[in-house]
């Protein structure tokens, strides 16, 4: 394949913190990869809630202006001097740092890029890399879900939520999911939720207590934060695990130690990057995800695609809870 060298490309850039409207479509210098780096021409870009946190300043943003985005699939267009094991034309994916995937071209450290198996298409890979590795880490490493466990997943029809439910079901757990509406409930049921709670109509704690005959659940995966953490703690069984891994509704208030003492609970706040810090950990997580896509355990729901130049619309829909499954941006040619 002959791939043209691009000194310039278009990218989304944020010059000031704020709503989706602060994302501008601009020309940027890309440059050439240095030692240990590759350059990719992106073909599909995953949108993740963390991109919203950086755009709004919930997480400290890098120096302005910056290009958001922490996940992409692309074709290698150049490799840095002396780099072996990568060549122009390879299809690779990455998730996590460095930020800057909302771009037609991006420079990456070769160490973060993993090969995409030919059985997984680019849109699927960009939908499942960050969210799927998160699901892997949460279900297999932060708390090891086993057959017979009961798990509660908030935002069960969301990007990470959909994968968590499918995977937890395949592990033999009883899965309880919470969602905001009927349509999302139908998707969560298809994704292996044994019980779906529509939290806009029903009280989550009461329903979980009914479903578990008063016992509570072994683990809660809570990505919603402020609005849900209190109910999450109430829903746990004795010696249960509270896994707080996001804050889509805002930062949860501090949990008093006495709330944990009453049931000998565990509390953890994991970040994917700490569980994929080494190349071996990264390859293990990505390998598990791609294998489970290939063998049908994980159905990747690419429910929404937008042109990259319209990333603002994707953010607005994500924040308004209008989306389910994954969102992918396709670079404008
Ligand atoms: P989702 O697709 O899950 O989108 C967010 C969903 O959360 C919404 O669709 C909505 O579902 C629910 N929600 C509840 N309250 C709100 C609110 N006030 N505003 C917006 N949404 C709300 O997004 P992702 O799959 O990209 O991410 C899910 C979560 O996982 C995020 O919090 C993200 O930060 C976190 N995450 C954490 C990682 C880590 O390393 N710790 C890694 C990856 C993701 P409904 O309509 O059903 O309420």
């Amino acid at each position: 394949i002959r791939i043209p060298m691009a000194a310039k490309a278009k990218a989304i850039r944020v010059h000031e913190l704020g709503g989706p409207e602060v994302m501008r479509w601009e020309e940027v210098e890309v440059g050439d990869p240095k030692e240990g780096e590759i350059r990719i021409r992106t073909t599909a870009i995953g949108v993740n809630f963390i991109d919203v946190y950086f755009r709004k300043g919930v997480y400290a943003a890098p120096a302005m202006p910056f290009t958001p985005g922490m996940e992409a699939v692309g074709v290698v267009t150049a490799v840095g001097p002396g780099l072996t094991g990568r060549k122009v034309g390879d299809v690779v994916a990455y998730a996590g740092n460095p930020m800057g995937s909302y771009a037609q071209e991006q420079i990456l450290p070769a160490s973060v890029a993993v090969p995409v198996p030919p059985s997984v298409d680019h849109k699927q890979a960009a939908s499942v890399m960050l969210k799927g590795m998160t699901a892997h880490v949460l279900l297999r490493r932060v708390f090891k879900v086993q057959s017979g466990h009961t798990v509660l997943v908030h935002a069960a029809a969301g990007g990470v939520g959909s994968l968590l439910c499918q995977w937890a079901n395949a592990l033999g757990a009883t899965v309880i999911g919470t969602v905001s509406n009927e349509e999302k409930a139908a998707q969560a049921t298809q994704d292996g939720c044994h019980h779906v709670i529509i939290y806009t109509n029903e009280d989550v704690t009461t329903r979980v207590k009914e479903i578990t005959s008063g016992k509570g659940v072994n683990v809660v995966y809570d990505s919603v934060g402020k609005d849900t953490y209190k109910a999450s703690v109430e829903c746990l069984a004795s010696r249960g695990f509270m896994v707080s891994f996001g804050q889509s509704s805002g930062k949860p208030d501090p949990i008093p130690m006495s709330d944990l003492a009453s049931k000998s609970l565990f509390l953890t706040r994991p970040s994917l990057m700490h569980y994929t810090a080494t190349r071996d950990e990264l390859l293990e997580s990505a390998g598990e995800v791609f294998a489970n896509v290939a063998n049908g355990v994980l159905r990747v729901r690419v429910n929404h695609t937008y042109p990259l130049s319209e990333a603002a619309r994707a953010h607005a829909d994500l924040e308004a809870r209008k989306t389910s499954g994954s969102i992918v941006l396709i670079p404008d040619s």
Side-chain angles (χ1 to χ4, degrees), residues 178-199:
T178 76
V179 296
S180 60
N181 62 41
E182 295 280 355
E183 206 180 316
K184 291 187 178 189
Q187 182 191 299
T189 302
Q190 279 176 18
D191 284 348
C193 273
H194 300 91
H195 307 273
V196 185
I197 303 171
I198 303 180
Y199 66 82

Side-chain angles (χ1 to χ4, degrees), residues 195-271:
H195 307 273
V196 185
I197 303 171
I198 303 180
Y199 66 82
T200 42
N201 299 339
E202 301 170 283
D203 179 65
V204 172
T205 310
T206 309
R207 281 289 292 129
V208 167
K209 289 281 158 71
E210 276 169 17
I211 293 163
T212 60
S213 308
K215 253 180 81 187
V217 300
N218 301 99
V219 57
V220 182
Y221 292 112
D222 188 337
S223 67
V224 174
K226 192 170 182 55
D227 291 352
T228 47
Y229 90 93
K230 207 163 175 289
S232 296
V233 170
E234 287 167 4
C235 288
L236 281 167
S238 174
R239 300 188 340 216
F241 265 72
M242 169 70 187
V243 182
S244 168
F245 72 101
Q247 49 197 59
S248 308
S249 67
K251 270 189 198 155
D253 296 328
I255 297 180
M257 208 61 98
S258 53
D259 282 9
L260 305 180
S262 62
K263 289 188 274 185
S264 294
L265 301 178
F266 297 84
L267 166 67
T268 181
R269 203 312 184 182
S271 272

Side-chain angles (χ1 to χ4, degrees), residues 47-51 53 56 59 130-131 133-135 137-138 154-162 178-181 184 199-200 222-225 227-228 244-250 269-274 317-327:
V47 174
N48 292 286
F49 217 95
I50 193 168
D51 307 340
Y53 301 148
K56 292 201 318 198
Y59 290 171
L130 196 146
K131 299 171 189 73
M133 291 201 299
T134 302
V137 161
L138 295 178
H154 290 297
V160 178
S162 159
T178 76
V179 296
S180 60
N181 62 41
K184 291 187 178 189
Y199 66 82
T200 42
D222 188 337
S223 67
V224 174
D227 291 352
T228 47
S244 168
F245 72 101
Q247 49 197 59
S248 308
S249 67
R269 203 312 184 182
S271 272
L272 175 63
M273 65 181 174
H274 299 134
D317 289 348
L318 179 60
E319 288 177 87
R321 306 183 214 188
K322 287 186 185 161
T323 67
S324 60
S326 296
I327 305 172

